[in-house]
Amino acid sequence: MGVQLGGVLPKLEMGLEELRGKKVAIDAMNSLYQFLAIIRQRDGEPLRDSKGRVTSHLSGLFYRTANLIEAGISPIYVFDGEPPRLKRKTLEDRRALREKAAREWARALQEGRIEDAKKYAEQATRVDEWVIKDAKTLLNLMGLPWVQAPGEGEAQAAHMVRRGDAWAVGSQDFDSLLFGAPVLVRNLAITGRRKLPGKDVYVEVRPEVIELTRVLSELGITREQLVDVGILVGTDFNEGIKGVGPKKALEFVKKHGSLERAFEGMDLGVDLEEIRKIFLEPGVSDDYELKWGDPDPEGIKDFLCGEHDFSEQRVQVGIQKLMKGKGEKKQSSLEKWF
DNA sequence: CTGTCATA
DNA sequence: TATGACAGG
């Protein structure tokens, strides 16, 4: 879920064309979760192959990534490692919520409430280990680099942007800003259709770019204070304060300067320093290699069509997009040479 | 989510 | 050419 800061952050809406030629460090967990949550039939059942194995994540990852590459954008998928100790409670809470949703899903199906079924199916979404493994296999076949983070993927992705290995972090969550990402890009998809949560209503959305320096200067706060705003609203590592959204949290931090001052003598019920450290000094690694290789068309077809019953025709179109993007990349580096 | 096909 | 409904796996 991440920290909910939407609404108070300055953003720039862009066309996909403006992102051409850029590398984006994408939060893999975030993407896979969304594919699994949304790529479903009307009763909430995910896509499956003939052996009953779920394939929604492969569908989303393959077609979206092929589109990004065709658009000249180079995705670098970053996978989560070990969660910080403080995230355990959040993860357990989410598991309980998923299990409840799964029961509601079954009940809604039984009672023929199809729309409810779909809603609960979405809430029951979980990213299992085999989903990650499938994703890495597919990325390897597509000739794309991916990075294993030691800790939080968003932190590693932010680190990679700071090092200049990518232009921006791609995620729907705002956490990477707290992790110090200079640029965050949201809504990184081709078709501008996005479903409003809980309803079958779609709205047009464009990629939106959020720059950390602009955020801090326009809000008039430091990154440390932005982290404190997040802590008040709630993060993956603490619950936040009931009734406090980004607006109030921002007012609060600006008025008092820090959470210690604001809550002098009161017990916030959280280890402030430990949470701040997660965002300000996260566990990240420089030990990664970014190498773009050629896509392996036969391997992709064996995996998606042979193993998982994808349509050869559709997959072929995807492969062509990968080749086309690859060709353009070669061309642009050649152009630089001359 | 993305792709495709029918419809205007 | 644009929009909507539905299938995909």
mmCIF file of all heavy atoms in Angstrom, chain A residues 3 152 155 174-180 223 227 230-231 235-238 274-282:
data_model
loop_
_atom_site.group_PDB
_atom_site.id
_atom_site.type_symbol
_atom_site.label_atom_id
_atom_site.label_comp_id
_atom_site.label_asym_id
_atom_site.label_seq_id
_atom_site.Cartn_x
_atom_site.Cartn_y
_atom_site.Cartn_z
ATOM 1 N N VAL A 3 2.899 4.756 1.581
ATOM 2 C CA VAL A 3 2.465 5.982 2.246
ATOM 3 C C VAL A 3 1.568 6.794 1.310
ATOM 4 O O VAL A 3 1.860 6.957 0.135
ATOM 5 C CB VAL A 3 3.699 6.800 2.727
ATOM 6 C CG1 VAL A 3 4.617 7.155 1.576
ATOM 7 C CG2 VAL A 3 3.253 8.061 3.456
ATOM 8 N N GLU A 152 14.069 -3.096 0.981
ATOM 9 C CA GLU A 152 12.916 -2.577 0.261
ATOM 10 C C GLU A 152 13.272 -2.250 -1.192
ATOM 11 O O GLU A 152 14.243 -1.543 -1.467
ATOM 12 C CB GLU A 152 12.408 -1.310 0.950
ATOM 13 C CG GLU A 152 11.812 -1.561 2.313
ATOM 14 C CD GLU A 152 10.467 -2.252 2.207
ATOM 15 O OE1 GLU A 152 10.439 -3.495 2.157
ATOM 16 O OE2 GLU A 152 9.456 -1.550 2.174
ATOM 17 N N ALA A 155 13.490 1.445 -2.005
ATOM 18 C CA ALA A 155 14.715 2.066 -1.515
ATOM 19 C C ALA A 155 15.854 1.819 -2.499
ATOM 20 O O ALA A 155 16.616 2.732 -2.833
ATOM 21 C CB ALA A 155 15.070 1.510 -0.140
ATOM 22 N N PHE A 174 4.236 6.345 -3.194
ATOM 23 C CA PHE A 174 5.063 7.540 -3.025
ATOM 24 C C PHE A 174 6.307 7.283 -2.185
ATOM 25 O O PHE A 174 7.113 8.180 -1.974
ATOM 26 C CB PHE A 174 4.235 8.653 -2.373
ATOM 27 C CG PHE A 174 3.089 9.118 -3.228
ATOM 28 C CD1 PHE A 174 1.814 8.630 -3.040
ATOM 29 C CD2 PHE A 174 3.309 10.044 -4.238
ATOM 30 C CE1 PHE A 174 0.759 9.058 -3.832
ATOM 31 C CE2 PHE A 174 2.267 10.480 -5.039
ATOM 32 C CZ PHE A 174 0.980 9.980 -4.835
ATOM 33 N N ASP A 175 6.442 6.066 -1.697
ATOM 34 C CA ASP A 175 7.516 5.754 -0.750
ATOM 35 C C ASP A 175 8.907 6.120 -1.265
ATOM 36 O O ASP A 175 9.770 6.529 -0.499
ATOM 37 C CB ASP A 175 7.500 4.272 -0.394
ATOM 38 C CG ASP A 175 6.206 3.855 0.277
ATOM 39 O OD1 ASP A 175 5.135 4.240 -0.237
ATOM 40 O OD2 ASP A 175 6.262 3.164 1.296
ATOM 41 N N SER A 176 9.118 5.940 -2.570
ATOM 42 C CA SER A 176 10.463 6.179 -3.107
ATOM 43 C C SER A 176 10.911 7.618 -2.863
ATOM 44 O O SER A 176 12.103 7.874 -2.739
ATOM 45 C CB SER A 176 10.507 5.843 -4.598
ATOM 46 O OG SER A 176 9.637 6.680 -5.307
ATOM 47 N N LEU A 177 9.974 8.559 -2.792
ATOM 48 C CA LEU A 177 10.347 9.951 -2.495
ATOM 49 C C LEU A 177 10.926 10.059 -1.089
ATOM 50 O O LEU A 177 11.908 10.756 -0.861
ATOM 51 C CB LEU A 177 9.128 10.866 -2.633
ATOM 52 C CG LEU A 177 8.563 11.006 -4.040
ATOM 53 C CD1 LEU A 177 7.214 11.712 -3.996
ATOM 54 C CD2 LEU A 177 9.541 11.765 -4.932
ATOM 55 N N LEU A 178 10.299 9.355 -0.150
ATOM 56 C CA LEU A 178 10.818 9.351 1.221
ATOM 57 C C LEU A 178 12.183 8.670 1.261
ATOM 58 O O LEU A 178 13.035 9.008 2.085
ATOM 59 C CB LEU A 178 9.841 8.638 2.167
ATOM 60 C CG LEU A 178 8.700 9.503 2.743
ATOM 61 C CD1 LEU A 178 7.857 10.118 1.671
ATOM 62 C CD2 LEU A 178 7.861 8.714 3.723
ATOM 63 N N PHE A 179 12.378 7.705 0.360
ATOM 64 C CA PHE A 179 13.676 7.035 0.267
ATOM 65 C C PHE A 179 14.698 7.905 -0.477
ATOM 66 O O PHE A 179 15.835 7.493 -0.672
ATOM 67 C CB PHE A 179 13.541 5.691 -0.448
ATOM 68 C CG PHE A 179 12.936 4.598 0.398
ATOM 69 C CD1 PHE A 179 11.735 4.011 0.040
ATOM 70 C CD2 PHE A 179 13.582 4.155 1.550
ATOM 71 C CE1 PHE A 179 11.181 2.998 0.809
ATOM 72 C CE2 PHE A 179 13.036 3.142 2.325
ATOM 73 C CZ PHE A 179 11.827 2.561 1.962
ATOM 74 N N GLY A 180 14.263 9.070 -0.954
ATOM 75 C CA GLY A 180 15.197 10.011 -1.557
ATOM 76 C C GLY A 180 15.295 9.956 -3.068
ATOM 77 O O GLY A 180 16.233 10.498 -3.643
ATOM 78 N N ARG A 223 13.672 16.893 3.394
ATOM 79 C CA ARG A 223 13.334 15.489 3.192
ATOM 80 C C ARG A 223 13.042 14.805 4.538
ATOM 81 O O ARG A 223 12.143 13.980 4.646
ATOM 82 C CB ARG A 223 14.476 14.752 2.478
ATOM 83 C CG ARG A 223 14.132 13.292 2.265
ATOM 84 C CD ARG A 223 15.126 12.583 1.379
ATOM 85 N NE ARG A 223 15.211 11.183 1.743
ATOM 86 C CZ ARG A 223 16.311 10.467 1.735
ATOM 87 N NH1 ARG A 223 17.451 11.019 1.375
ATOM 88 N NH2 ARG A 223 16.291 9.207 2.081
ATOM 89 N N VAL A 227 9.619 12.829 5.555
ATOM 90 C CA VAL A 227 9.518 11.517 6.205
ATOM 91 C C VAL A 227 8.593 11.608 7.422
ATOM 92 O O VAL A 227 7.738 10.734 7.635
ATOM 93 C CB VAL A 227 10.916 10.996 6.621
ATOM 94 C CG1 VAL A 227 10.801 9.769 7.520
ATOM 95 C CG2 VAL A 227 11.749 10.663 5.378
ATOM 96 N N GLY A 230 5.096 11.586 6.358
ATOM 97 C CA GLY A 230 4.718 10.203 6.068
ATOM 98 C C GLY A 230 4.401 9.421 7.324
ATOM 99 O O GLY A 230 3.416 8.669 7.375
ATOM 100 N N ILE A 231 5.204 9.610 8.346
ATOM 101 C CA ILE A 231 4.998 8.865 9.594
ATOM 102 C C ILE A 231 3.653 9.236 10.224
ATOM 103 O O ILE A 231 2.941 8.376 10.740
ATOM 104 C CB ILE A 231 6.170 9.119 10.573
ATOM 105 C CG1 ILE A 231 7.455 8.484 10.004
ATOM 106 C CG2 ILE A 231 5.866 8.540 11.953
ATOM 107 C CD1 ILE A 231 8.716 8.811 10.793
ATOM 108 N N THR A 235 2.845 4.677 7.339
ATOM 109 C CA THR A 235 3.724 4.069 6.347
ATOM 110 C C THR A 235 3.599 2.552 6.482
ATOM 111 O O THR A 235 2.795 2.064 7.267
ATOM 112 C CB THR A 235 5.201 4.460 6.609
ATOM 113 O OG1 THR A 235 5.647 3.797 7.797
ATOM 114 C CG2 THR A 235 5.357 5.960 6.758
ATOM 115 N N ASP A 236 4.405 1.839 5.717
ATOM 116 C CA ASP A 236 4.422 0.382 5.868
ATOM 117 C C ASP A 236 5.006 -0.033 7.219
ATOM 118 O O ASP A 236 4.975 -1.200 7.582
ATOM 119 C CB ASP A 236 5.274 -0.260 4.758
ATOM 120 C CG ASP A 236 4.546 -0.264 3.429
ATOM 121 O OD1 ASP A 236 3.348 0.081 3.407
ATOM 122 O OD2 ASP A 236 5.180 -0.609 2.421
ATOM 123 N N PHE A 237 5.563 0.948 7.940
ATOM 124 C CA PHE A 237 6.291 0.615 9.166
ATOM 125 C C PHE A 237 5.620 1.160 10.424
ATOM 126 O O PHE A 237 6.098 0.946 11.532
ATOM 127 C CB PHE A 237 7.731 1.138 9.053
ATOM 128 C CG PHE A 237 8.316 0.864 7.692
ATOM 129 C CD1 PHE A 237 8.466 1.880 6.757
ATOM 130 C CD2 PHE A 237 8.633 -0.432 7.320
ATOM 131 C CE1 PHE A 237 8.956 1.611 5.486
ATOM 132 C CE2 PHE A 237 9.129 -0.708 6.048
ATOM 133 C CZ PHE A 237 9.293 0.317 5.130
ATOM 134 N N ASN A 238 4.552 1.930 10.235
ATOM 135 C CA ASN A 238 3.764 2.401 11.395
ATOM 136 C C ASN A 238 2.359 2.741 10.922
ATOM 137 O O ASN A 238 2.128 2.943 9.731
ATOM 138 C CB ASN A 238 4.418 3.647 12.022
ATOM 139 C CG ASN A 238 4.211 4.884 11.171
ATOM 140 O OD1 ASN A 238 4.741 4.971 10.072
ATOM 141 N ND2 ASN A 238 3.455 5.835 11.662
ATOM 142 N N GLU A 274 13.788 4.694 14.568
ATOM 143 C CA GLU A 274 13.923 3.475 13.758
ATOM 144 C C GLU A 274 13.219 3.639 12.400
ATOM 145 O O GLU A 274 13.756 3.249 11.356
ATOM 146 C CB GLU A 274 13.368 2.257 14.514
ATOM 147 C CG GLU A 274 13.732 0.950 13.814
ATOM 148 C CD GLU A 274 13.348 -0.290 14.606
ATOM 149 O OE1 GLU A 274 12.920 -0.166 15.771
ATOM 150 O OE2 GLU A 274 13.459 -1.396 14.025
ATOM 151 N N ILE A 275 12.038 4.251 12.414
ATOM 152 C CA ILE A 275 11.322 4.453 11.149
ATOM 153 C C ILE A 275 12.074 5.449 10.258
ATOM 154 O O ILE A 275 12.241 5.234 9.060
ATOM 155 C CB ILE A 275 9.893 4.973 11.391
ATOM 156 C CG1 ILE A 275 9.127 3.981 12.264
ATOM 157 C CG2 ILE A 275 9.163 5.168 10.076
ATOM 158 C CD1 ILE A 275 7.767 4.488 12.684
ATOM 159 N N ARG A 276 12.541 6.535 10.868
ATOM 160 C CA ARG A 276 13.288 7.523 10.078
ATOM 161 C C ARG A 276 14.504 6.888 9.430
ATOM 162 O O ARG A 276 14.831 7.179 8.276
ATOM 163 C CB ARG A 276 13.734 8.670 10.972
ATOM 164 C CG ARG A 276 12.598 9.606 11.340
ATOM 165 C CD ARG A 276 13.119 10.673 12.249
ATOM 166 N NE ARG A 276 12.098 11.632 12.617
ATOM 167 C CZ ARG A 276 12.086 12.252 13.784
ATOM 168 N NH1 ARG A 276 13.011 11.990 14.694
ATOM 169 N NH2 ARG A 276 11.140 13.126 14.050
ATOM 170 N N LYS A 277 15.140 6.006 10.181
ATOM 171 C CA LYS A 277 16.359 5.372 9.663
ATOM 172 C C LYS A 277 16.030 4.502 8.446
ATOM 173 O O LYS A 277 16.806 4.453 7.488
ATOM 174 C CB LYS A 277 17.021 4.540 10.769
ATOM 175 C CG LYS A 277 18.415 4.083 10.400
ATOM 176 C CD LYS A 277 19.215 3.596 11.604
ATOM 177 C CE LYS A 277 20.550 3.060 11.129
ATOM 178 N NZ LYS A 277 20.743 1.641 11.403
ATOM 179 N N ILE A 278 14.885 3.839 8.487
ATOM 180 C CA ILE A 278 14.494 2.997 7.346
ATOM 181 C C ILE A 278 14.449 3.832 6.071
ATOM 182 O O ILE A 278 14.902 3.411 5.010
ATOM 183 C CB ILE A 278 13.115 2.334 7.599
ATOM 184 C CG1 ILE A 278 13.226 1.296 8.716
ATOM 185 C CG2 ILE A 278 12.574 1.704 6.317
ATOM 186 C CD1 ILE A 278 11.891 0.703 9.140
ATOM 187 N N PHE A 279 13.907 5.059 6.177
ATOM 188 C CA PHE A 279 13.783 5.905 4.986
ATOM 189 C C PHE A 279 15.070 6.672 4.658
ATOM 190 O O PHE A 279 15.397 6.862 3.495
ATOM 191 C CB PHE A 279 12.634 6.904 5.169
ATOM 192 C CG PHE A 279 11.279 6.266 5.050
ATOM 193 C CD1 PHE A 279 10.438 6.167 6.154
ATOM 194 C CD2 PHE A 279 10.839 5.748 3.828
ATOM 195 C CE1 PHE A 279 9.180 5.574 6.040
ATOM 196 C CE2 PHE A 279 9.586 5.158 3.710
ATOM 197 C CZ PHE A 279 8.758 5.064 4.821
ATOM 198 N N LEU A 280 15.766 7.123 5.690
ATOM 199 C CA LEU A 280 16.906 8.021 5.453
ATOM 200 C C LEU A 280 18.227 7.285 5.283
ATOM 201 O O LEU A 280 19.139 7.793 4.642
ATOM 202 C CB LEU A 280 16.996 9.040 6.593
ATOM 203 C CG LEU A 280 15.753 9.938 6.722
ATOM 204 C CD1 LEU A 280 15.799 10.779 7.988
ATOM 205 C CD2 LEU A 280 15.605 10.834 5.485
ATOM 206 N N GLU A 281 18.318 6.093 5.852
ATOM 207 C CA GLU A 281 19.537 5.281 5.687
ATOM 208 C C GLU A 281 19.145 3.843 5.357
ATOM 209 O O GLU A 281 19.459 2.925 6.110
ATOM 210 C CB GLU A 281 20.381 5.305 6.971
ATOM 211 C CG GLU A 281 20.822 6.674 7.418
ATOM 212 C CD GLU A 281 21.286 6.644 8.877
ATOM 213 O OE1 GLU A 281 22.074 5.753 9.238
ATOM 214 O OE2 GLU A 281 20.823 7.501 9.641
ATOM 215 N N PRO A 282 18.454 3.642 4.266
ATOM 216 C CA PRO A 282 17.952 2.303 3.960
ATOM 217 C C PRO A 282 19.068 1.358 3.534
ATOM 218 O O PRO A 282 20.116 1.806 3.056
ATOM 219 C CB PRO A 282 16.994 2.538 2.789
ATOM 220 C CG PRO A 282 17.506 3.755 2.118
ATOM 221 C CD PRO A 282 18.104 4.613 3.209
#
